[in-house]
Amino acid sequence: MELRSVEELMDLLYACRDERSAARHGGGPDDPHGHALRTAALLRRRRPADKELQVAGLVSPVGRLLWPGDPAVRTAEAVRPLLGARVARLVRRQAHPEAWAHDDDVAGLRQADDEARTAVFDAGVLEDWRTVLELTAARNSRLGAVD
């Protein structure tokens, strides 16, 4: 699956809320939606100017809703056309411990991800992130990309 709009991505992120009850029965995390919001919020506090890093923390759970295979790879492939190569790389490498020591951004993402599992605070709502997602998508769109 290739995400073509922020609206499609928002729909997937909202669908992660519905995973909550299914995850409880399967032994997975209780709230992937809340976990993603907390991860992104922690990254916003630590690296306020790095929107791509924040977005990588926000989108990481969507891979569980897509086709079979490694969720990190599925997420990376789905968001690359919309959010760019860096977000895709961060999401993909976050799942691989060997990358944590060699990439400060991945290590920061992983640290926020781990902390968000136990942190208790109001991380806001998904709609708070729409503008950040739109700005990241616009910056990384195929038509506007300059490398």
Side-chain angles (χ1 to χ4, degrees):
M1 174 179 206
E2 185 175 292
L3 295 171
R4 294 197 165 103
S5 71
V6 170
E7 197 58 43
E8 287 179 0
L9 177 56
M10 292 290 287
D11 288 345
L12 277 176
L13 290 167
Y14 276 117
C16 290
R17 281 190 310 196
D18 299 332
E19 257 193 90
R20 216 177 310 180
S21 61
R24 280 191 205 118
H25 300 295
D30 283 338
D31 184 5
H33 177 80
H35 177 255
L37 288 172
R38 288 188 304 276
T39 301
L42 288 167
L43 290 164
R44 181 185 292 182
R45 290 177 187 170
R46 293 177 186 154
R47 306 263 302 269
D50 195 343
K51 302 304 183 206
E52 290 176 335
L53 182 62
Q54 297 164 26
V55 165
L58 182 67
V59 302
S60 56
V62 302
R64 291 181 264 186
L65 302 175
L66 304 175
W67 58 90
D70 179 346
V73 171
R74 292 183 298 201
T75 302
E77 290 172 355
V79 302
R80 179 185 301 276
L82 181 64
L83 301 175
R86 180 169 180 246
V87 172
R89 179 184 58 80
L90 289 167
V91 168
R92 183 183 300 247
R93 295 188 74 194
Q94 175 189 3
H96 301 286
E98 65 275 4
W100 304 345
H102 304 293
D103 187 326
D104 290 340
D105 293 338
V106 174
L109 177 57
R110 188 64 200 178
Q111 180 183 9
D113 180 74
D114 287 343
E115 187 177 331
R117 292 183 196 292
T118 58
V120 179
F121 64 94
D122 182 3
V125 296
L126 182 56
E127 203 57 41
D128 295 340
W129 289 93
R130 183 180 294 274
T131 301
V132 176
L133 290 168
E134 288 171 347
L135 290 170
T136 304
R139 181 173 172 216
N140 291 294
S141 71
R142 290 182 185 147
L143 297 175
V146 177
D147 281 343

